């Protein structure tokens, strides 16, 4: 139901308000300091829910969220829902094979062919300890 909320993973530990993804990318990338971020889930792994992506205005690279030590998964139908999460954000380079694997995972069950990647891909990676997802539709 709309407004229904569920927490996955470890409880949040950071005080204060969550910031936007854009603010986190400007302030937290590569610092090794955890931050709490809120935003909208764009895509979810359709195999197991073991990763998801978030969209951010003005951000050139995809932002992929992974769960620390695969400690928890998120619902595969969480696309478009509001999320607050805690973790460490970094800019990484994915091999062509790994980037393709993620696109293949996202395409499972959609009936659409996966987009094809050419060469290594830069992307932001958020390694999170916990997430709270609230249904908005």
């Amino acid at each position: 139901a709309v407004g229904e909320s569920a927490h996955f993973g470890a409880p949040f530990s950071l005080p204060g308000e969550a910031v936007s993804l854009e603010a986190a990318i400007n302030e937290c990338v590569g610092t090794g300091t955890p931050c709490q971020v809120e935003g909208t889930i764009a895509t979810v792994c359709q195999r197991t829910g073991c990763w998801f992506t978030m969209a951010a205005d003005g951000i050139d690279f995809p932002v992929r969220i992974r769960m620390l030590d695969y400690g928890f998964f998120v619902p595969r139908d969480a696309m478009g829902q509001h999320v607050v999460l805690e973790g460490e954000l970094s800019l990484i380079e994915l091999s062509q094979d790994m980037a393709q694997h993620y696109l293949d995972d996202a395409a499972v069950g959609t009936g659409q062919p996966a987009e094809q990647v050419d060469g290594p891909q830069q992307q932001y990676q958020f390694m999170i300890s916990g997430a709270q997802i609230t249904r908005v539709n």
Side-chain angles (χ1 to χ4, degrees), residues 45-92:
C45 172
Q46 290 301 293
R47 291 184 201 276
T48 57
C50 69
W51 56 261
F52 60 95
T53 62
M54 290 172 73
D57 294 336
I59 303 303
D60 297 337
F61 305 124
V63 181
R64 183 170 313 277
I65 289 79
R66 295 181 56 208
M67 294 57 164
L68 193 59
D69 302 327
Y70 288 96
F72 59 98
F73 294 159
V74 298
R76 289 176 300 188
D77 68 351
M79 282 90 82
Q81 308 307 327
H82 181 263
V83 65
V84 177
L85 44 84
E86 251 183 36
E88 288 184 24
L89 187 57
S90 52
L91 181 61
I92 62 168

Side-chain angles (χ1 to χ4, degrees), residues 15-53:
E17 296 289 308
V19 299
S20 72
L21 196 50
E22 297 90 327
I25 284 171
N26 291 329
E27 296 162 21
C28 303
V29 168
T31 61
T33 305
C35 56
Q36 191 178 98
V37 169
E38 66 176 335
T40 301
I41 295 176
T43 60
V44 177
C45 172
Q46 290 301 293
R47 291 184 201 276
T48 57
C50 69
W51 56 261
F52 60 95
T53 62

